[in-house]
Amino acid sequence: MQDRINGILEAVEKHHELYGNALPMIASENITSKVVRMLLASDLSHRYAEGDVGARYYQGCEYIDVIEAEAIRGAKELFDAEHVNVKPTSGVNANIAALFALTSPGDKIMTLSVPEGGHISHAKYSVPGIRNLELHEFPFDPDEMNIDVDAMVREIKDKKPKLILFGASLFLFPHPIQEARAAADVVGAKIAYDGSHVLGLIAGNKFQDPLREGADVVTGSTHKTFPGPQGAIILCRNALKEEIDAAVFPGTVSNHHLHHVAGLAVTLVEMMQFGEQYAAQIQSNAKTLAQYLYEEGFDVLCEHKGFTESHQIAVNVRSFGGGDGVAKKLEKAGIITNKNMFPSDKSPENPTGIRLGVQELTRIGMKESEMREIAVLIKRVVIDGEEESRVKEEVIELKKDFCHVQYCFDNGDAYKNPVIM
Ligand SMILES: Cc1ncc(COP(=O)(O)O)c(C=O)c1O
């Protein structure tokens, strides 16, 4: 039995080593500071605290109340939100709760299709299917990689959805919330915004400000551009707080993950101090990497718009065999990315593109000059067809100087386990 446990420990150790030597560029990931990782391993991970601060169904929650109250206070302050719920255990969980609160079976909702960037939790495979919602897709302009505003306004007035759900997984440019608000008011629609990917940019006053632009509810994972523990958050207007809170507990969460709440509370403080600087560097890194990739010969989407306003870059690699093969080749060179569907794609198995995210590279301190080196490394693998193992040696060399977490108070080692006993 000990052998089996040792096998697991060894795999975890090797996983740390793999990431320590790699360029992690999956757009939905990040790393937490050392203090957050220590909190994730604390006794909080064993406990239950159903209910709200000061009104729990379990005893023993004296300090859990202090921690959750601090997370709520921090999120209200950072996002300037009237009401906050810190209990959702993931972005999908937060979306399920929001859809539960804001719709009834049979209602019409408007979302982005998956090939155009929408997330699976906005689609028929998830709550919209289970709750029998009538899905209407936003009209999308693939050249602009964004929602077609005039057509959207017409569609809202024509279809009269109960809910308009913005936000995306492939998310290069801010969504037209302001433009939708007037039409939504005419037909009595609510607006929700899934900020999972861009929550850290919003926290740093970049990309867009959905609550001020007209969203009633914002959901978001707390571990993509927002560099906290895996989990999620919901922000909303006071007018909706009862519906949202009931849809989270008891609607879709029994016990929330208290160690995550503690980690979130700390990350919120980190973002108050460093968020603006961090978000600005992410945007600059993404634009810089996109520009260099373009100059190296890649078909990077939306050159005419400066490529991106977020942490993401979308690259059409069809002429190099498609997203699947390219992502696998890059992995052999230690560059971790993912294949991604683009608007005209039908198959998620071998889509047209790859999606690159620079938020983790930014969190470990990389800047514009490293983006240039990375563009060349990617080109050598994908365009020149160079032996991946040779490129990997240079990836390891480059990564050596970037193994500490920045934009936090402890600058801990990013890829070592801080709690190995
Ligand atoms: C737009 C969007 N919403 C929600 C999610 C799901 O988040 P989680 O993995 O936290 O459930 C994702 C995942 O990447 C996403 O891209």
Side-chain angles (χ1 to χ4, degrees), residues 28 90-92 95 119 168-169 194 196-197 221 223-224:
S28 50
S90 76
V92 167
N95 286 344
H119 187 251
S169 298
D194 178 351
S196 289
H197 263 275
S221 312
H223 50 267
K224 302 187 197 296

Side-chain angles (χ1 to χ4, degrees), residues 256-271:
H256 52 303
H257 296 169
L258 308 166
H259 47 320
H260 292 195
V261 174
L264 171 63
V266 168
T267 315
L268 286 161
V269 177
E270 292 170 0
M271 289 297 277

